[in-house]
């Protein structure tokens, strides 16, 4: 079973520089050779890379300390020590690197595949004794140890990249809908908080492909930490559309709608989520009769929500109109053009 983890705290340290060498030239018939100690090598850097093959931070639960190798020491014959290899830490696309302070200040946002950030630089190698030679000091024995590397604790926070985010109160039918329209296998059940972690599914409809995310149910006070919704509100920040599911059999649909919207508007981390395109859906309509649906529509109309779709994912009803509405609302994907012009191939990407 694959586990999901959307935040982790890790320790990172770049490599120290290698020490400079103390050495003197030794050759036949040369009794007093001059200094020839080389400089130490540079320590390895700490680099973060966003890769598409990962979709969770679970690996960082078991490995929390990352240290790049130090540079090698200098040697005689003015040989500079080898530099320490950079340590590349691979993270899912959508990962943010945050400082370990009260504000959790944003250090880096790895939102694109292949994006790299060089976070800590390795220490400079120490000087060998050859670099101290002067007209007044012909046989120096001074040398430098390498400079120490940098180190810090950081938080990693994953914000899923999805085109469509499913939102709503617990047990509104989000997981059932995701399973019905995509390749996802989200857990479902007739009790609140069945979904404890965000789930992703790929939807293909009329030649358009998009990613849909099932966000765990929100409750009143989620933006302040109530329930399990405060962490997962961040996952809808990068969605283009919000599909708001309201249980047709849940009673007081207007209150259900306002509860979720109030939490979204109260969530002030990042962009303004309240401005996103929203599709309102009455879900689980197969569990009630037409009269209940009409009452729910009327109550939503009283708060200004008149464009409401009806869906029963379990019975397969209303799914086609919903997917049509989604692809109509989604912006067209832009063709990626090479910055090198039409007649030139883009070079292979390299983190170095």
């Amino acid at each position: 079973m694959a586990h999901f983890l959307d935040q982790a705290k890790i320790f990172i340290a770049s490599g120290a520089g290698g020490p400079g060498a103390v050495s003197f030239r030794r050759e036949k018939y040369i009794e007093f050779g001059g200094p020839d100690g080389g400089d130490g090598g540079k320590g390895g850097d700490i680099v973060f890379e966003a890769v598409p093959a990962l979709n969770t931070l679970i690996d960082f639960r078991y490995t929390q300390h990352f240290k790049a190798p130090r540079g090698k020491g200098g040697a005689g014959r003015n040989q500079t020590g080898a530099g320490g290899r950079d340590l590349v830490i691979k993270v899912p696309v959508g990962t943010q690197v945050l400082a370990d302070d009260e504000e959790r200040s944003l250090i880096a946002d790895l939102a694109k595949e292949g994006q790299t950030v060089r976070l800590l630089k390795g220490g400079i190698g120490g000087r060998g004794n050859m670099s101290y030679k002067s007209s007044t000091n012909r046989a120096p024995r001074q040398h430098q140890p390498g400079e120490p590397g940098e180190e810090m604790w950081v938080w990693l926070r994953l914000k899923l990249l999805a085109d469509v985010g499913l939102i709503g109160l617990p047990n509104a039918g989000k997981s059932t809908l995701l399973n019905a329209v995509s390749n996802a296998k989200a857990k479902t059940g007739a009790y609140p908080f069945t979904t404890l972690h965000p789930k992703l599914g790929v939807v293909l409809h009329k030649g358009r492909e998009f990613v849909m995310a099932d966000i765990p149910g929100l409750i009143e006070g989620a933006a302040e930490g109530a329930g399990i919704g405060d962490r997962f509100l961040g996952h809808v920040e990068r969605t283009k559309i919000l599909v708001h599911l309201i249980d047709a059999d849940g009673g007081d649909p207007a209150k259900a709608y306002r509860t979720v919207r109030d939490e979204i508007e109260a969530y002030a981390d990042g962009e303004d989520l309240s401005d996103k395109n929203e599709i309102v859906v009455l879900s689980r309509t197969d569990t009630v009769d037409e009269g209940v649906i009409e009452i729910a529509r009327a109550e939503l109309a009283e708060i200004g929500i008149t464009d409401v779709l009806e869906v029963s994912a379990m019975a397969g009803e209303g799914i086609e109109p919903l997917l049509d509405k989604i692809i109509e609302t989604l912006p067209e994907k832009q063709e990626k053009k090479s910055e090198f012009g039409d007649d030139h191939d883009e070079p292979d990407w390299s983190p170095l």
Side-chain angles (χ1 to χ4, degrees):
M1 177 182 176
H3 295 281
F4 182 86
L5 188 69
D6 65 349
Q7 66 177 16
K9 184 179 181 181
I10 63 172
F11 176 80
I12 54 176
S14 59
V22 176
S23 175
F24 293 91
R25 182 182 172 196
R26 291 291 180 265
E27 293 185 24
K28 192 175 182 179
Y29 307 121
I30 300 178
E31 185 176 359
F32 299 105
D36 66 353
D39 298 339
K42 175 185 172 296
D45 298 342
I46 293 290
V47 179
F48 284 88
E49 178 186 2
V51 296
L54 300 175
N55 56 17
T56 174
L57 299 175
I58 189 64
D59 291 341
F60 297 99
R61 173 175 289 177
Y62 309 108
T63 305
Q64 298 173 336
H65 288 74
F66 298 86
K67 188 173 183 179
R70 68 175 302 154
K72 301 295 185 182
R77 298 187 179 181
N78 198 28
Q79 297 181 77
T80 300
R85 179 174 295 182
D86 293 344
L87 178 59
V88 180
I89 302 174
K90 298 183 185 298
V91 296
V93 177
T95 299
Q96 293 181 327
V97 184
L98 309 172
D100 184 28
D101 54 22
E102 291 184 1
E103 294 78 20
R104 297 279 177 90
S105 307
L106 180 64
I107 299 175
D109 191 357
L110 296 139
K112 297 180 180 178
E113 179 180 335
Q115 183 179 351
T116 60
V117 174
R118 196 171 300 271
L119 202 62
L120 299 181
K121 293 184 177 181
I124 302 299
R127 294 168 58 189
N129 69 331
M130 183 175 179
S131 66
Y132 288 94
K133 180 181 177 181
S134 67
S135 58
T136 57
N137 188 0
R138 309 296 293 178
R141 293 186 175 273
Q142 300 102 308
H143 73 289
Q144 284 182 332
E147 291 185 359
E150 302 172 330
E151 59 183 42
M152 65 188 303
W153 285 92
V154 296
W155 282 91
L156 303 180
R157 181 172 62 185
L158 174 59
K159 293 185 177 180
L160 296 175
L161 300 179
D163 300 301
V164 180
L166 299 178
I167 60 173
L169 292 177
N171 207 27
K174 299 183 294 296
S175 298
T176 304
L177 177 60
L178 181 66
N179 290 342
V181 301
S182 75
N183 59 352
K185 295 293 182 286
K187 181 181 178 182
T188 61
Y191 51 90
F193 297 121
T194 308
T195 302
L196 298 177
H197 308 295
K199 298 290 190 300
L200 290 178
V202 178
V203 183
L204 180 61
H205 182 64
K206 294 184 177 179
R208 288 288 300 275
E209 186 178 274
F210 56 89
V211 178
M212 181 178 286
D214 171 17
I215 309 300
L218 305 177
I219 64 173
E220 188 172 355
E224 285 74 44
I228 60 174
D230 61 323
R231 279 170 55 181
F232 301 124
L233 272 166
H235 290 296
V236 303
E237 281 192 44
R238 288 170 171 154
T239 59
K240 301 179 180 69
I241 299 175
L242 299 178
V243 175
H244 191 157
L245 270 63
I246 301 172
D247 186 358
D249 194 25
D252 203 343
K255 180 181 179 181
Y257 176 84
R258 283 303 337 157
T259 297
V260 174
R261 290 303 304 180
D262 288 346
E263 295 311 313
I264 288 176
E265 290 165 10
Y267 182 72
D269 187 9
E271 62 183 89
D272 187 359
L273 302 183
S274 62
D275 289 340
K276 289 185 179 294
N277 289 322
E278 181 185 52
I279 299 174
V280 179
V281 178
L282 278 174
S283 62
R284 303 175 63 187
T285 54
D286 60 311
T287 62
V288 296
D289 57 34
E290 190 62 33
V292 174
I293 295 176
E294 290 303 318
I295 293 173
R297 281 183 169 277
E299 292 180 3
L300 289 171
E302 289 180 1
I303 61 172
I305 309 300
T306 57
D307 187 6
V308 180
L309 299 180
E310 299 174 16
V311 166
S312 170
M314 190 68 71
E317 300 171 353
I319 291 179
E320 189 84 4
L322 172 59
L323 296 180
D324 288 343
K325 182 78 170 179
I326 289 174
I327 62 175
E328 288 172 9
T329 310
L330 275 176
E332 291 288 339
K333 290 189 176 181
Q334 300 293 322
E335 292 293 331
K336 185 179 179 182
K337 295 182 179 180
S338 171
E339 61 186 65
F340 301 93
D342 296 335
D343 299 330
H344 297 83
D345 292 331
E346 190 171 341
D348 292 337
W349 176 86
S350 171
L352 301 179

